[in-house]
Amino acid sequence: MKMLSKPNSFYSFVLVVSLLFTATIIGCTEDPVQPDPVTPNRDSLKTVVTSNITTNIILPTYAELRDKTAALRDAAAVYSASQTETNWLAARAAWYAARDPWEACEAFIFGPADFKALDPALDLWPLNRTDLDSILNSTISLTPEAVANFNENVKGSHTAEYLLFGDTNQKVFSQMTSREIEYLVAVTVDIAKNTEILYNEWSPADKNYADHFLVYPNTRYATANDGLSEMITGMIDLSVELYETKMEVPLASKELKYDESAFSDNSIKDFQHNLLCIKRMYTGENGSHVGKGISAVVLLTDTLLDNSVRQKIAASEAAVAAITPTFGKAILNNSQTVRDAITAVEKLYRVLEDSVRVVILR
């Protein structure tokens, strides 16, 4: 009996080991591959990001633009009815106020602003000064209906700017002519009408283009990635336009006609609001509102990149603020400050184009 008990124990041991080995092999070959735990979070987060940017940045900025251009229209009408210097100065102040939200929305002038050609109708530059002066010196009708049908390069924000501020921000109250006042009233009516159309196209209470960035899939975007791609492209396009078209071209040419807001000396403020637009979309923050922006997606995988983007936004803001005394004068007499701003914004463009786009759309 003792002789028989040894082999039985040995065979039992071999059987157990064999079963364990087989179970291990089966476990290795049949266990399903686990999905990337980050993927569903990324997808839902991207929807949260596009929703927040739309609801808390795009819509409020377009609403502010609508309201401030309406105030500009009303100020021009008041000035026309009572042509005092006080009312003229109020119209100029209203132009400055309306300019800010337009420059703060230039990273999201996709969609209706593009489809309905509202961007050029509101902000085309340089103006065709030859045609504009010819209109002023003619008897062409300057009713709002007539001006609405003018070419884009003789209407919009910069036409109102030229009428109010003159060629180089040297205009005085006594220089305003009756034709200029008539033109100002008509062009501001057209501006206000177009910004109201723009807001209504986005508004959830009207045409609701905003819904394209709230729920996916929809008639325009199959996934949140598609909606987010539109947004990051808008930020990239604005950054390259800012350093290349708005700063580099006038610096290289030394021609003030390429200085976007030369009539009012407002270009530096324009640039600052362009950067504010990019900053809001990246951080998800707008005034007291704090939500999720592009940064939230970047932070899932690359905190160093997030820090780099934030630093480049801050560096661009500082460089633009350092341009003195005005952009028009700086390109002629203080060009190094403009070059420094170009360099800073180009670095921001590069990190958005080469790194952020790749990270958020993967």
Side-chain angles (χ1 to χ4, degrees):
M1 291 292 292
K2 287 182 180 179
M3 291 294 293
L4 292 175
S5 65
K6 285 184 178 179
N8 283 341
S9 298
F10 174 75
Y11 293 136
S12 297
F13 172 77
V14 170
L15 180 60
V16 170
V17 170
S18 176
L19 289 172
L20 287 172
F21 180 75
T22 302
T24 301
I25 295 298
I26 292 171
C28 290
T29 57
E30 294 186 359
D31 192 33
V33 176
Q34 293 298 315
D36 177 1
V38 173
T39 301
N41 293 334
R42 282 179 70 87
D43 291 344
S44 59
L45 178 59
K46 287 176 181 180
T47 301
V48 170
V49 167
T50 60
S51 177
N52 177 60
I53 290 173
T54 300
T55 304
N56 296 304
I57 297 172
I58 295 177
L59 286 171
T61 306
Y62 277 148
E64 181 187 2
L65 178 65
R66 175 203 60 192
D67 295 345
K68 288 186 174 178
T69 55
L72 171 60
R73 175 201 62 205
D74 295 345
V78 168
Y79 169 48
S80 176
S82 178
Q83 295 173 21
T84 66
E85 187 169 12
T86 297
N87 289 339
W88 175 66
L89 291 172
R92 284 161 59 107
W95 183 90
Y96 279 122
R99 187 74 185 158
D100 292 350
W102 173 256
E103 294 300 307
C105 75
E106 286 203 306
F108 43 83
I109 52 175
F110 43 74
D114 178 30
F115 305 154
K116 293 184 171 292
L118 295 172
D119 176 16
L122 288 165
D123 194 42
L124 191 68
W125 63 282
L127 292 180
N128 185 328
R129 285 282 307 282
T130 301
D131 285 356
L132 197 156
D133 288 335
S134 177
I135 290 168
L136 286 170
N137 293 322
S138 73
T139 58
I140 293 172
S141 174
L142 289 175
T143 64
E145 295 76 18
V147 171
N149 290 315
F150 283 0
N151 289 334
E152 284 121 349
N153 57 10
V154 289
K155 64 180 183 178
S157 177
H158 293 296
T159 293
E161 179 191 15
Y162 176 65
L163 295 169
L164 284 165
F165 296 92
D167 195 34
T168 55
N169 199 16
Q170 299 298 315
K171 195 165 196 171
V172 296
F173 169 64
S174 61
Q175 293 174 321
M176 290 293 293
T177 69
S178 59
R179 281 288 279 181
E180 287 175 336
I181 297 169
E182 188 179 5
Y183 203 163
L184 176 67
V185 168
V187 80
T188 55
V189 166
D190 189 56
I191 291 168
K193 179 193 71 177
N194 284 329
T195 58
E196 184 172 12
I197 290 170
L198 182 56
Y199 177 76
N200 289 341
E201 287 289 328
W202 277 85
S203 172
D206 204 318
K207 302 297 176 60
N208 199 19
Y209 191 80
D211 198 47
H212 290 98
F213 298 94
L214 307 182
V215 180
Y216 305 92
N218 56 64
T219 56
R220 184 160 181 82
Y221 304 111
T223 67
N225 240 27
D226 298 332
L228 203 59
S229 177
E230 184 89 274
M231 290 182 173
I232 187 63
T233 298
M235 295 164 65
I236 290 167
D237 287 349
L238 177 56
S239 64
V240 72
E241 180 187 4
L242 176 53
Y243 87 81
E244 200 171 72
T245 306
K246 296 189 177 189
M247 290 195 279
E248 211 166 57
V249 169
L251 177 64
S253 68
K254 305 297 185 186
E255 291 191 45
L256 292 179
K257 70 179 181 179
Y258 297 117
D259 174 5
E260 185 176 13
S261 292
F263 304 139
S264 59
D265 285 329
N266 200 59
S267 292
I268 293 172
K269 201 174 178 188
D270 285 356
F271 304 160
Q272 290 171 327
H273 280 83
N274 286 167
L275 290 170
L276 178 62
C277 184
I278 292 170
K279 183 177 184 177
R280 284 172 173 171
M281 294 176 74
Y282 187 75
T283 64
E285 301 171 9
N286 184 13
S288 61
H289 172 79
V290 178
K292 293 190 182 298
I294 304 294
S295 170
V297 183
V298 174
L299 279 170
L300 284 177
T301 56
D302 200 331
T303 57
L304 292 178
L305 175 58
D306 181 66
N307 287 332
S308 176
V309 176
R310 290 173 182 271
Q311 288 168 3
K312 286 176 173 60
I313 291 172
S316 296
E317 291 174 325
V320 166
I323 299 172
T324 57
T326 66
F327 183 71
K329 291 177 180 175
I331 62 176
L332 299 174
N333 305 311
N334 197 10
S335 58
Q336 189 56 52
T337 60
V338 180
R339 290 191 186 95
D340 291 344
I342 290 169
T343 298
V345 178
E346 183 176 7
K347 287 180 179 177
L348 173 60
Y349 157 69
R350 293 293 175 193
V351 76
L352 292 174
E353 173 67 44
D354 299 339
S355 301
V356 174
R357 185 199 291 275
V358 175
V359 167
I360 69 168
L361 298 182
R362 65 172 50 148

